[in-house]
Amino acid sequence: MPPVPEETFASEFRALPAADRVGFVADLWAARGWETTVEDGVVAAERDGERRRIRVADPGRFGTPDLSDADTLVAVRHREAVRSAAEAAGVRYVPPGKLRSLLLYGVERGAATALYEEWFDRPLARTVANESDGGNALDAVRERIPAVVGQQRALVGLLVVALVGVALAGP
């Protein structure tokens, strides 16, 4: 089964409470071999003498997050202005699409699956059936098709009867 689509991942990541987003990022970096802690809402990651401070922020539509205490910014939504600000400040920029790639390709698949299910309470691998809440979306559409087609046929039939009636009645 294919993994969660990028748009769905981004939406589900945005929907998490801020503290859970930070926790997920800390656990993802830990799964990638970093020793992580959370200090004042910022993930501190250390490995082989290298230390990173990872800020997880939702800049909204117009804002730019504080980058003074971070060297990596995990943005909840991709915005070109935030990417530019991070680049100008010398901060690594990780938008949702790149975060998804780190999850899918930066850790072993079993660890990624467990991590995603723990934080998002959903499976990492998706089908049309589990993409919707409570059932197969494709089956739901298939069930509605006969009703919609039947309604359209009834409307067309009524319209034909009305036109024939007008034509027979004359001008």
Side-chain angles (χ1 to χ4, degrees):
M1 279 189 277
V4 60
E6 189 172 324
E7 289 276 327
T8 303
F9 174 84
S11 176
E12 291 175 359
F13 185 59
R14 263 192 312 275
L16 289 177
D20 287 356
R21 291 190 297 247
V22 172
F24 170 72
V25 168
D27 283 356
L28 177 57
W29 255 254
R32 295 176 59 227
W34 293 79
E35 188 176 316
T36 62
T37 58
V38 176
E39 304 165 359
D40 298 324
V42 176
V43 178
E46 192 169 334
R47 177 175 68 185
D48 300 329
E50 183 180 356
R51 185 166 169 77
R52 290 189 186 167
R53 294 195 40 86
I54 306 163
R55 176 169 294 283
V56 181
D58 183 357
R61 292 183 178 205
F62 306 108
T64 302
D66 176 24
L67 301 171
S68 62
D69 65 343
D71 54 61
T72 301
L73 171 67
V74 174
V76 174
R77 64 186 83 234
H78 173 65
R79 287 194 36 247
E80 196 57 37
V82 174
R83 186 199 60 76
S84 296
E87 188 176 280
V91 173
R92 289 180 189 97
Y93 177 70
V94 181
K98 188 171 181 182
L99 187 65
R100 175 185 171 267
S101 293
L102 288 173
L103 174 68
L104 295 177
Y105 310 113
V107 299
E108 190 270 328
R109 183 54 66 112
T113 298
L115 187 62
Y116 198 80
E117 288 178 3
E118 175 187 345
W119 286 100
F120 293 85
D121 201 27
R122 294 174 174 265
L124 179 62
R126 300 293 175 93
T127 63
V128 173
N130 63 20
E131 189 63 24
S132 67
D133 290 329
N136 188 329
L138 191 55
D139 286 345
V141 169
R142 284 183 183 142
E143 288 173 11
R144 296 224 359 114
I145 287 174
V148 171
V149 170
Q151 289 171 349
Q152 287 176 339
R153 285 184 182 159
L155 184 61
V156 168
L158 185 61
L159 187 58
V160 168
V161 169
L163 288 174
V164 169
V166 168
L168 290 176

